[in-house]
Amino acid sequence: MTSQRTRSRMVDRLREKGIANEAVLKAMGAVPRHVFVEEALASRAYEDTALPLGMGQTISQPYIVARMVELLLKGRTGLGKALEIGAGCGYQAAVLAQLTNEVYAVERIGPLLEKAKANMRTLQQFNVRLKHGDGHFGMPEAAPFDSIIVAAAGAAVPPELVRQLAPGGRLVLPVGGDAQYLSLIEHTPQGYTETRLDPVRFVPLLPGVQ
Ligand code: SAH
């Protein structure tokens, strides 16, 4: 049920759905998603669906994680210093950690952050720094970042996140309320560019900490 074969079937499905970057597929295949879901749901851990992770939040759908990471990587050799907003219990942070040696992640719900920390210890994933905070403000103490990824949707792009992008850096995030889309923001020598992409459905990016 949690075997390498089940995991590689998940990778096959991601490939069928259009994920082509081999480094991303390899990272997706390397992270044991069953570690991040409630035991009762472990048999469904490698289905391509979002699953509840407690506190009303969800662990992201593998396809969306792969799609967003692929957008971050496209045309670049690595993610560089990466920041994730909305770490939940750490699944996507663990995927990012396969692709770079420096990952920072912020989560606003204390108990989820504790779960994420425990999961990173279980996986011996020591290159992820987790912080309890409101991700609207990024992580100024570690900025700038080459890659920023957001796992919850705000009504607008948080300006602080754009400011924390290094030259050449990229930010991928969902934007909107009832109707959401993925947005890719790039810090180019000419300034910032925004590309609006797929329609998506994420939990809301909320203010403050809990
Ligand atoms: N990255 C997770 C997805 C978790 S769901 C995964 O791989 O499964 C999105 C998370 O964003 C939730 O845990 C929610 O609490 C968090 N979140 C929402 N608004 C936030 C904010 N302003 N700052 C930090 N985290 C936030």
Side-chain angles (χ1 to χ4, degrees):
M1 140 179 111
T2 53
S3 69
Q4 188 57 49
R5 220 181 61 203
T6 323
R7 232 186 281 175
S8 66
R9 270 209 300 275
M10 181 187 87
V11 171
D12 292 342
R13 275 196 303 274
L14 294 175
R15 214 187 281 277
E16 282 160 22
K17 287 187 172 181
I19 305 300
N21 186 311
E22 290 301 327
V24 174
L25 291 165
K26 189 168 170 224
M28 296 296 299
V31 177
R33 194 166 181 254
H34 64 272
V35 168
F36 296 86
V37 303
E38 309 280 321
E39 215 160 323
L41 291 167
S43 66
R44 301 187 54 201
Y46 297 95
E47 291 177 13
D48 192 20
T49 53
L51 293 170
L53 59 76
M55 311 289 294
Q57 305 302 321
T58 54
I59 174 169
S60 298
Q61 180 193 358
Y63 171 76
I64 286 292
V65 172
R67 167 81 174 130
M68 291 173 83
V69 175
E70 191 170 63
L71 286 168
L72 280 178
L73 259 181
K74 204 162 88 187
R76 297 195 293 181
T77 50
L79 291 175
K81 196 201 278 187
L83 171 68
E84 180 193 24
I85 305 302
C89 58
Y91 174 63
Q92 181 167 261
V95 173
L96 295 170
Q98 309 304 309
L99 292 158
T100 178
N101 47 28
E102 226 181 328
V103 179
Y104 297 82
V106 181
E107 170 55 51
R108 67 181 288 281
I109 300 180
L112 289 183
L113 186 87
E114 292 310 314
K115 266 196 194 178
K117 284 186 177 167
N119 288 336
M120 294 307 135
R121 278 193 295 270
T122 303
L123 297 184
Q124 308 226 317
Q125 199 69 67
F126 301 123
N127 56 339
V128 180
R129 295 271 168 279
L130 290 154
K131 178 186 171 178
H132 188 208
D134 179 351
H136 281 97
F137 306 105
M139 212 195 267
E141 65 274 33
F145 299 97
D146 303 298
S147 302
I148 304 180
I149 189 164
V150 186
V157 177
E160 257 323 298
L161 298 185
V162 177
R163 269 197 283 277
Q164 290 177 24
L165 274 184
R170 289 210 188 140
L171 162 63
V172 176
L173 77 172
V175 183
D178 285 342
Q180 302 171 4
Y181 57 86
L182 268 191
S183 181
L184 166 65
I185 292 168
E186 293 172 86
H187 187 177
T188 75
Q190 290 78 39
Y192 298 97
T193 63
E194 182 181 9
T195 314
R196 296 183 176 193
L197 299 152
D198 330 2
V200 287
R201 180 110 213 110
F202 278 81
V203 297
L205 186 70
L206 297 173
V209 294
Q210 176 181 328

